[in-house]
Each structure stands twice: as structure tokens, then as C-alpha cells.
Amino acid sequence: MTATESTEEVELQKLYTDFATEHLNPLWTQLGDLMPQQPNPKAVPHVWRWDVLYPLAQRAGDLVPVGRGGERRAIALANPGLGGAPYASPTLWAAIQYLGPKEVAPEHRHSQNAFRFVVEGEGVWTVVNGDPVAMRRGDFLLTPGWNFHGHHNETDEPMAWIDGLDIPFVHYTDTSFFEFGSEQVTDPATPRISRSERLWAHPGLRPLSGLDDLPNSPIAAYRWEHTDAALREQLLLEDEGQPATVEPGHAAVRYTNPTTGGDVMSTIRAEFHRLRAGAWTRPRREVGSSVWQVFEGDGEVVIDGREQRIAKGDLFVVPSWAKWSLRSDDGFDLFRFSDQPIFERLNQSRVFVEEGEE
Amino acid sequence: MTATESTEEVELQKLYTDFATEHLNPLWTQLGDLMPQQPNPKAVPHVWRWDVLYPLAQRAGDLVPVGRGGERRAIALANPGLGGAPYASPTLWAAIQYLGPKEVAPEHRHSQNAFRFVVEGEGVWTVVNGDPVAMRRGDFLLTPGWNFHGHHNETDEPMAWIDGLDIPFVHYTDTSFFEFGSEQVTDPATPRISRSERLWAHPGLRPLSGLDDLPNSPIAAYRWEHTDAALREQLLLEDEGQPATVEPGHAAVRYTNPTTGGDVMSTIRAEFHRLRAGAWTRPRREVGSSVWQVFEGDGEVVIDGREQRIAKGDLFVVPSWAKWSLRSDDGFDLFRFSDQPIFERLNQSRVFVEEGEE
Amino acid sequence: MTATESTEEVELQKLYTDFATEHLNPLWTQLGDLMPQQPNPKAVPHVWRWDVLYPLAQRAGDLVPVGRGGERRAIALANPGLGGAPYASPTLWAAIQYLGPKEVAPEHRHSQNAFRFVVEGEGVWTVVNGDPVAMRRGDFLLTPGWNFHGHHNETDEPMAWIDGLDIPFVHYTDTSFFEFGSEQVTDPATPRISRSERLWAHPGLRPLSGLDDLPNSPIAAYRWEHTDAALREQLLLEDEGQPATVEPGHAAVRYTNPTTGGDVMSTIRAEFHRLRAGAWTRPRREVGSSVWQVFEGDGEVVIDGREQRIAKGDLFVVPSWAKWSLRSDDGFDLFRFSDQPIFERLNQSRVFVEEGEE
Amino acid sequence: MTATESTEEVELQKLYTDFATEHLNPLWTQLGDLMPQQPNPKAVPHVWRWDVLYPLAQRAGDLVPVGRGGERRAIALANPGLGGAPYASPTLWAAIQYLGPKEVAPEHRHSQNAFRFVVEGEGVWTVVNGDPVAMRRGDFLLTPGWNFHGHHNETDEPMAWIDGLDIPFVHYTDTSFFEFGSEQVTDPATPRISRSERLWAHPGLRPLSGLDDLPNSPIAAYRWEHTDAALREQLLLEDEGQPATVEPGHAAVRYTNPTTGGDVMSTIRAEFHRLRAGAWTRPRREVGSSVWQVFEGDGEVVIDGREQRIAKGDLFVVPSWAKWSLRSDDGFDLFRFSDQPIFERLNQSRVFVEEGEE
């Protein structure tokens, strides 16, 4: 090193120190990390097993009360790449929630969008803005932002389900509002279907009392019998040679807001996928992350080249731009949710589908 | 009259003659007629009786063949104010269509939007772009513009229903395209529900193979059991003190396009209204016209102060800005269609609702 | 004719008579006229000459006062195919309006959308909702529905311009509302530009006091210097090998609503076209009708095969689906307005462009 | 502590350990931090002084080359609350960029949206997708995502400006794509205005060659003379008693996309604000963060109760939900950008404006 080089190096170090003192940070030293050539998520693909999750939730049921303050007995998936934070991905929160016999989770509301999906059990009602909504296997239930909600278990059995929210996104963007509500649910009734369904869940029909478009779906519960029927019909139509499925042997529906035809909530997309025995999905990459839960059957998921067997109740996360595909053994039903609406609305969406035969 | 006045009068007459020669027409002589202070329709309110219509359709069934050229045995409501044209209003065409035992109405397509509503009978399938759609009492069936369609009666009984189209609007605006298709229906199958329903008529669920928004609803048939259930629930919710109805005792649904939440077709709105025994609707005026058919029950319609009793199958037209209200005797079910989407999309919509108690 | 045939014929005539009595009209006897295979307008192509129009307007200026009741000294183009009605086409009204020295056309408002385009002269202010808007050659001025407006001529010279409205469409669809206003203009000031322009006519800039989207443009006047500059730049960019023009030698702009980027008014599209010396436009057909006025230069218009020479001030109408093209001699500037927004919003739009070389 | 309590405590610790092992994280121990009752940003309000920034940039100009790899001599504001990351807020990146005499910053493109705003100087052209765009004091210049761009300084003087991007948001959400381009700018021409302006920057006029709506504005440069004129007119209109300003003495414009009337880019809003001498803005809180730069004049900003004097070139950041207001001494011009479009599009927007007099 010459004297000049040395002087320059000293000057440069002095400059960087002055930057730090003045709360400045140069771009040129870190461009590749800040603006990678393609998404380079810290979040990693990971599988959580239902037969591990559920017993842990049971133990929490024995040891941790549910009530005001803690609010919910919810145990979140913490992506191994995200340093222990309770985030399945940078945008999505996913948890198993467990409610013991006769327990009540008190009412509150928050700006975060939330849903529940039930992989097994029944007997809990979630009360959304005063509307009691029964929870049963296969149902997808909404609690869009700023709706009061609480849960109560009417049975002598515990019940567990998964919760999905946009907590990490809202936390990162500093848009959280939260308010406590009633300690008991505001309507203890236990009807088979909710008022929201009675008003809104009729195919293609809209009440004249509900003509204003809503940012989130007014349907509180999407019932399994409808989802199942829709998927079954797609596969039957495929058998008849009609266009209906996404790709051969792969039926899928998106849950939608009937006032717009769009996603159920502004930040979360939810879908249900069914693969015939032996079917597989064409490998794809998408901007944004998603969380899946096996509802029935078993098979394999391949993420960025790593294959894993998955079965009923198992959850896995697909980070942004990871290449994923699914394979079914004897038939495979999976629930999925993702942050896609964020990226579609912000013109950041990209999808890559691998061409060619298996 | 002075000589000057006389000269001026002569000059003026000469001017008007020259206008006419040059294909010109002054505004000042006709302003009030051209631009009235409020809508002053030539169309008049009128009631057509089902017990008159149906026998006439039967006679046409005996005397007039259905087939290529004439295409349809459809008998249109001709508003008495519109000089004999087959127009229920300046925008809407409404007809009774009659198909004898085993008859076939050949396939064709046109830019005009069309639907059918069934007040009684069954046994006909309408085949829409190759998809056979059964027609049964209470069903509302779509044939949006430029879809091939034909009908065939599979029974030994005749069947009649009403057709609604935007023929007058399309004719006036010179936007008609028409093309003949197959003389026989392209799919003679007689399934209970159509493929379009199997794919699309699941509440709040959208096939992933159908993510592009469509200008018209992809649901070919809105079945009576869903319409009936939606209306019944609205009245039950009202009984429970919940917001659900349009006004006391008045339940109503709009048929919608599930890809947008909007009207089923770009020029035609369709709704179904149910009034409890003794209920009435608040008098209202709306820009645009509508045609109603009584589906069940009886009661009265009051249009611009004139009250008429109406019963099952009767049709009536409400011209633009006429004041209308309905009263139910022992319960009243009515189907309605209108040209409202035209005026909403063109920013010409106005509604006036009369305040105060009956 | 056999006896049976004869009986049937009698029966059929009886049926048709009964239809008429009951205000019914069969489809099968008139299908081809009602639903033609392609648009078959009654309106015909026609050219009105400015050197005929203007002297007639002058004579009206001498003989007919302008004032309350008649409201406007406007002489409408009456399409020769439309039976003498003051309609350029079934949807569009176009007129020459003439205001003598110091004359005032009183204020009123109506649901009809209106604009003015100035082919020559200046010295009149149109006062739109209290905002005085100067009128000068080349300017395009808006009076969207339900804005009060009046005109006053501040000079000792008469001034004439063209008016465009959706009067026929509004009349046909029974959506006219009209209200008289002040007999004198509500603001007699004569500023060079209007307040609306000062607030809104800055490229790409929107006032924070105006963040709600509006159905019609808030810009009261689109000034010639901007239109001219935009067209000039398109041709210069074309010279530089850049994409800018519609087709070789054919520059064009659409006047838009800055709050949406869409058409200036809900029922009327307005554009300005410039053809280089020797340029021509590819023949095209469009659903819907349009009216053109030559602003500068001369050339030929060919409509459905008939060629006519046109020059400054001449107006012509192109009916729905007629094939038209323009040819420029030494440069050609034309203003155009049409009913296209109606058909685009109602999903009835179709365009056909002829391929191949001249 | 009893034996039972002690056992339970041990069990609980064991449970938490097992959670960690299984990559799980309970909600109940951290609810308040994860879902605060109102936004509780780590980012803090902060002011960066131009007279500190600019000399540091000069020193970087002497010591750090600009070229392939580092790409840009840009020095980012590092919010003191964000641990040294080069983030003005969780979503926004803001930097001073410095280009020495005759220097060239090579071309590249990225999914991040970018703009530049010039507080002083001129002589640099930014070449956006091959279109050379001159940069001058007061201009606001766009480089929406995935447009190639490079800069070159044609003068013998250095030039500095500010860059704004959505780097933190894109980084957090794993949606970054980046591609290197030409080392020299692809068009070295130095026109006074860009081709994009010649095609698009005419008030209310849209080229017929550009009728497809675009997610980002096609206007590459919003020139100071237009911004200045728009603000000046708002204050003059206010003087005349007309509605024009946001609040008394406070004029403001938003830069918009002329194809939609919406924000210039999908994730970034940009505005310019002018306060009369002595004027102040009503205190407000908004979800989302913003960065301001003083363009001219001086005054005070109060953020969450802390008042600071600011002058030409100074930059400051307002975190989510912080209460801010501005006060002008002798007139105050400020540029602002924010992440508001993200929250408006995702239905997360909230605004609180303090009522009452100063």
C-alpha cells in the first residue's frame, strides 16, 4: 500500500465514521444485499408436524389459562430463518389455537386481518361483531380487521384449529390498532350457521340491503360442504372433458368477497386445493409467501428441490420465489393462504411456471 | 300586424324552410319537448294479464311453427305509448316464449343480452354455448350477448316462460350483431344442473381456472331454491331484529356476476322481491324503466297514483321516473328486471324515495 | 289455397289482431329488422358545409332573439335519415350556436352533458357554475350535466361555435332533467383563463383539495395551445423514429378527465386529429356514431365508399359501423366527438380496422 | 411458592423450551408488543441538515468512484431508531446522490420504484428506458420499477439531488429483482425536455397511441414551472375567496399518473406543499411514514410535540401515526413523499386531524 492509498483509506474510514455519526448509510457497500437480483428471503421452507403441534397445544391447555391480557392460547409457527420471531414468513402469522372444554377467549378487535381454518373437531363458536359462527372441520372462517371477536367452547372436549393473520406485515409497517372488548362473548347462542351466511352465502345473490361494496367479505364462514362440492365438480367436469381444473388432476377454489369477486380480505388470499391420486402440480415460483395445511390424504411437497412427505394436519411455509410443487399419493386435500393480494395491489406480483413434462 | 312584422314573419318562415332544406333544425322551437324538466316518457304504465297472454301463446303454438328464420315463438309486450313497437319500454323487450311438446328453437347468437325467467312449468333445456341448462319454475337463466343458444322441449307438454332482452336499446343505438347457428341444439343432454353451475354456483367460491373478471355472469342458471332461501332468511332475520330487509316486510335479492359482484349483464339488472302479508313498499321514482312479473301471491301495484290488482303471472312495466309502490295481501313474490346498469354506468342515475308514513 | 290453409290463414290473422288488441307484438314477423346481422342505422353519413351553416346562423341572429324560453340560438344538424329530428345521430346532438354583439344566453342546467368547440372567433365567455370561461379558436369547453351555464358576448362582433350534447340519447332513454337559472350570467368577469383551469390544468398535478374522483372532468376549457403542442410533438417524435402517433402521419389526442384518466364526460368522447400532408387513416368501422368538424386544412373523407372533399368548418357524421377514412392534402386538423364511452361502459364496443396497404 | 406451583413453573419452562425447539412461539407472552393498541414505530422522527449532508456527499465524491458494482454514489438516511439500517422508515429509502463533473452512473433496472427530486443544481440527465431526462431545480423525476436508468453529468460542476425508493419495503417483503444494464447511458443526448413529457405532459390530453392504463405514470419529469404555477394559483384563488387550498394559507399538489388520476407509482406518493408567510397546518396523524425536504424558505416542524427549525435542503422523517404540523415564517415550500398508496390499497389507511383553533 502506498502512502496515498493509505491516506485515502484513512479518509474513507473517517467518512464512514462520519456517516454513522450523522445517521447516514452508503448504498455502494451493501447494494447486493439490499437489492438482490432475485428475492433472497431470510425465511426458509419448513414443515411443522401436526402430531408434534397438537400435543404441545394440549400441554399449553393444561398449563396456560386463556383470558384477558394474553387473550388467546395461540402458538405461532416461528420460521427458523427469522430469528425466533413468531412469523411464518415476513408477512404471515400462522398458529394453532387451542380452547379447552367450556373455555372462553375474550372479545377484542384489531386492525390485523384474521381467519381460522378447522382441520378437525367442532363445538366452538366464534362470535364476530355479535354474530355467533359455528366452527366445524373443513370450514374457513373470517375475522376481517376491526371486527370484535371472541370464542367459546360449548363442549366437554377441547378444540384446536389454525389461525392466520397478517401480524408480521402490520407490525413491520406500523399499522396496528388494538382494542379490548367484552370478557364474555356478546352473543352466547349456538346456531348451526351464522347470520352473515343466512344473508350472504347464496350463490350469485346479493341482498338489496347490502349494495355497497365492502373491502372484506361479509361471509363469516365458508362451509366445508360447499368447498368440497366445488372441488368434486371440477374433477367430474375434467372427467367429462370440460375445462374446469387448474391443470390435470388439480382442482382448486379461491375464497372470495361476494361484493367484488376479489380476495376475502385485503392482505390475505385463501384457497383450497385438491389433487387426484397420482396427480402433481407444475413447479412454480411466486413473489410473496404462503402457508399450507394438509386437510386430508398424504403426499409430498418439493420446495427448492427438497422433497418432504406430509400428512393430515401438517403445515408448511413456502417463502417468496421458492420453487414448489405438490404430489398426491391417493388423493390430497390442502388448504392454503398467502399474502398475494398485497403484491397484486402494489403491482409487484410475478409468477414463473416451469414448462415441460415431468 | 304591421308591414315590418309581416316582413319579419316572411323572413323567418323562409329561414325555417332553408333550415329544413339544409337538414338543420332549430333548438328554440322545441326545447321543452327535447329537454323536459323531468323525464316525460312516451311509454306508459301498463299491466298484461297472464290469463290473457298464455292462451294467446297457446294459439300461436298451434298456428305458428318455430324454426330457422323466425327463430323463436316469442310474443313481446308492446307498450301502448310506443306506437305498436314490440318494446316494453324504450330500452327493454319482454315476451312470453312458448315451446310445444318436443319442439326445438334453433341455435343463434346476438349482441343483445338475454335472460329467461320461469313462472311455471319445466321440461325445456336451453343450451348456452353448448352447456344444457334445465329450466324450472322460479329459475332465472342467462344468455349474455354473443353466446350461442337454442332451446328444446323434452316433454309431451308445452312450456312457456318470459324472455327479457335489451333489444330496443341495442336497436336504437345501432349495435346489433346477429349470427345463425346449429338448427338442432349442440348438446341434447338433459342434466339437472348445468356445467356452469357446477363450476360457479358455490357461495363465495371461485374456480382457480376462472380468475379473469367477466363482463357478464358465468352462472347460466340461478335456481329457485337459492333465491327462495335467501328471501326466507331475510324475513327471519328481520323477525330476529337484525338488519336484512330493504324496508319492513320487504325482502329482496339482486342476481349478480360472481366475478365482480355487479349486475349479471352489462345492460340488465334482475332482482327478486318478496313482501310479507300486509307489507308495502315506500313509493319511489327512478331514472330508467323496469318490468315486473308476479311469481306468487297477489296484491296491488300503484303507479303514478293508479292502483291495479295483480296476480300470478301478470306483467307490468314502470316507465322512467314514474312513482311506484307495491302492496301485498297475503304475501307477494315478484321478479323484476330493469335497465338500471345503463344509467349507473353512465352517471345518469337518480332515485327519489318518498318519505313519511303511509 | 285449400280450405284448411284458408282456415289457418284466417285464424292467424285473427291471432295477430288479438295480439294488437292486447298490446302484444310477435318476434317472428320482424326479427331481421329488430336484430340485424350487423348495425343497420337509419342515420346516414352526411356533410354540412360551414359556408352554408354560418350564413344561416347569421340570418337567425337577425331574426330570432336569444333569451329565456328558447334559451339558445342553436341550430342543430338533422341527420337526413332520422326523419327531420334534430339529431346528428341517434345519440348525438350537434349544432352551430350564434351569439350576437353584447347578447346574453341565460343560465340554465340540465342532465344532458354538453361541450363547445370553437372553430373561429372569440369574445364570448361561458359561465359554468359561476366560473367565467373565455372561448377562443381551437378551445374545447365543457359543461357536464347539471352544471348551471350561460353565455355572454362582450364584443361588438357576433361569435359562432359548435355545441355537442347527448340530447338524443337522453331523450330516448327518458333521463332528462332541466332547470332554469339566472337570466344574466352570475359572474360577468372576463378573465383570460377560468378558475377551473387555474386549479386543474397543470400536467400530472392534482390539487390536494380535489382528491375525490369525479364522473366528469373538472377542467372547463382545454386550450388550443396545449392541443396544438401535443399534436406537433407527436409528429416530431415520429420524425425522430419514436412511437407517438396512431399510425404513420396521424397524430391524435383524447381530451380526458384528470381525476380518472378517462373520457371528459360519461357519454361523450372528444378527440383532436392531425394528419400530415399526404397522410391517410386506415379504414375502420366502430360501433357507435361520431361527428367531426374540420378545424384547418382540407382533404377528403370516405364513408362507406363515398368520397367527399371537406374544408374548414365543415361538419360530417359517421353512423354506427360505417367504414370511414380520412386523407389529407396539405395537412389536416379535425375535431371529433362520439358516443363511444356509452358502448365501452356497456360492453357493446366493437372495432374493425382494415388491414393491408393503400 | 408451593410445590405444585413450582412443578407447574417447571412444566411451563419445559413447554417454552419445547416450543423453541419446534420453532414455535406463543402469542400470550408478547401480545402487546406484536399487536400494540396504536402504532408504536421503532423509527423515530429525525431531521438531517443539508449543510451536513452536502459536504459529506462532496467528500464521498472525492473518495468513492461511481461505477459498475456500487452503481450509485447515494448516501441514505438511516433512521436512528432502526439500528443503523439504511432506512428512513420501515418502507422508505431516501438518499442524497452526488455525481461529479462528467461522471456517469451506469444503467440498471430493479423492481423497486424510484424517483429523484432536485433541490439545487442542474446539468445531469437521467436516461430512463433510453429517454434522456434533464434534471433541474424543483423537478420531480420518475424511474418506476423495472425501467432501465443511468445518469450522466454533462457539466464541470458536481450535482446532488435526493433519491426516494421503496427499498426497505421491497427488501422486507422479498420482492426484489435487479438487473445490470449498459455501462454508459444508452442515449447521450441532452434535450431540454424528455420524450415522455413531449408525449404525455399536456394538461388533460392523452395520446391515442397511449390508451392502455399504466400502473405507473408515463411522465418522466414533473417540471418546477408547472408545480410552482399550480401552487401560486391556489393561493391566488384563496385570495379571491375561492375553494382551492387544503386549509387556510396551505396550498398543495399531488403528482399523479395521467392514465388513472392516481399516485405516480404503486408504492410511493409524492406531493409539494406551500405555506404562506405565517401559515400553519392543522396537526394530523396518518398511518404510514413520510419524508419531507425543505425546498425554499424556513419555518418549524412539530412532531409529537417536539419543535425544530428547518431550512432549505433539510430533510425530516415522520413515522407512522406521529402527530405533525408545519409552521411557515416568511413562506415555506416543501416536497414530501410517503408510502400512503400501500395502505390505501390495502385498506389499512387511517387519518386523524386535530380539530380546534391554534
Side-chain angles (χ1 to χ4, degrees), chain D residues 78-126:
Chain D
N79 192 294
L82 296 177
Y87 294 177
S89 79
T91 52
L92 299 173
W93 194 84
I96 179 171
Q97 184 171 162
Y98 183 93
L99 205 57
K102 307 295 184 193
E103 279 189 332
V104 177
E107 294 203 352
H108 60 217
R109 66 175 175 178
H110 40 68
S111 57
Q112 289 83 355
N113 291 306
F115 72 81
R116 329 201 175 281
F117 178 74
V118 184
V119 73
E120 62 186 20
E122 63 181 74
V124 168
W125 272 256
T126 178

Side-chain angles (χ1 to χ4, degrees), chain A residues 195 198-199 201-209 211 222 226-227 230 233-234 236-237 240 242 244-246 252-256 258-261 271 273, chain B residues 195 198-199 201-209 211 222 226-227 230 233-234 236-237 240 242 244-246 252-256 258-261 271 273:
Chain A
R195 294 195 293 261
R198 293 165 62 195
L199 195 53
H202 307 279
L205 301 178
R206 190 167 178 167
L208 253 67
S209 56
L211 295 180
Y222 293 73
H226 299 305
T227 306
E233 291 291 357
Q234 287 187 19
L236 287 170
L237 284 163
E240 298 168 23
Q242 297 294 334
T245 53
V246 182
V253 290
R254 183 170 295 168
Y255 300 97
T256 55
T259 73
T260 63
E271 296 172 350
H273 294 253
Chain B
R195 295 195 293 261
R198 294 164 61 196
L199 196 53
H202 308 280
L205 301 177
R206 190 168 177 167
L208 253 67
S209 55
L211 295 179
Y222 294 74
H226 299 304
T227 306
E233 291 291 356
Q234 286 187 19
L236 287 170
L237 284 163
E240 298 166 23
Q242 297 294 333
T245 52
V246 182
V253 289
R254 183 171 296 171
Y255 300 97
T256 55
T259 74
T260 62
E271 296 173 350
H273 293 253

Side-chain angles (χ1 to χ4, degrees), chain B residues 7-238:
Chain B
T7 307
E8 280 205 354
E9 183 58 29
V10 167
E11 289 289 312
L12 198 59
Q13 286 314 319
K14 179 68 171 55
L15 180 64
Y16 290 155
T17 304
D18 290 350
F19 282 165
T21 304
E22 297 296 339
H23 299 296
L24 296 169
N25 200 331
L27 176 64
W28 57 84
T29 59
Q30 56 192 311
L31 178 72
D33 177 52
L34 263 186
M35 302 174 78
Q37 292 189 245
Q38 60 176 55
N40 183 23
K42 286 187 211 149
V44 296
H46 193 74
V47 177
W48 288 261
R49 302 291 172 189
W50 192 245
D51 58 15
V52 172
L53 274 179
Y54 191 82
L56 284 167
Q58 278 180 307
R59 284 167 57 193
D62 294 337
L63 293 168
V64 181
V66 71
R68 183 83 316 150
E71 301 291 303
R72 298 290 184 263
R73 193 185 290 111
I75 307 157
L77 310 187
N79 191 294
L82 296 176
Y87 294 177
S89 79
T91 52
L92 300 173
W93 194 85
I96 179 172
Q97 184 171 161
Y98 184 94
L99 205 57
K102 306 295 185 193
E103 278 188 333
V104 178
E107 294 202 354
H108 59 219
R109 66 177 176 177
H110 40 68
S111 56
Q112 288 84 355
N113 291 307
F115 72 82
R116 328 196 178 284
F117 178 74
V118 184
V119 73
E120 61 185 22
E122 64 181 74
V124 168
W125 272 256
T126 177
V127 181
V128 181
N129 270 348
D131 186 11
V133 188
M135 298 173 66
R136 290 185 288 267
R137 170 161 159 83
D139 294 345
F140 169 67
L141 308 120
L142 290 192
T143 315
W146 218 236
N147 285 273
F148 276 113
H149 56 285
H151 320 307
H152 61 117
N153 185 341
E154 286 299 301
T155 72
D156 296 322
E157 298 296 323
M159 182 179 170
W161 61 85
I162 66 161
D163 284 345
L165 289 94
D166 53 10
I167 291 174
F169 183 76
V170 167
H171 190 256
Y172 184 76
T173 56
D174 296 320
T175 56
S176 174
F177 293 86
F178 187 100
E179 200 172 296
F180 293 107
S182 166
E183 297 227 8
Q184 294 299 313
V185 294
T186 45
D187 187 337
T190 55
R192 208 183 57 80
I193 61 168
S194 64
R195 295 195 293 261
S196 83
E197 292 163 82
R198 294 164 61 196
L199 196 53
W200 280 100
H202 308 280
L205 301 177
R206 190 168 177 167
L208 253 67
S209 55
L211 295 179
D212 291 333
D213 287 350
L214 303 170
N216 300 306
S217 175
I219 301 178
Y222 294 74
R223 298 294 171 192
W224 173 243
E225 51 265 34
H226 299 304
T227 306
D228 185 40
L231 296 165
R232 189 173 56 235
E233 291 291 356
Q234 286 187 19
L235 293 177
L236 287 170
L237 284 163
E238 187 183 80

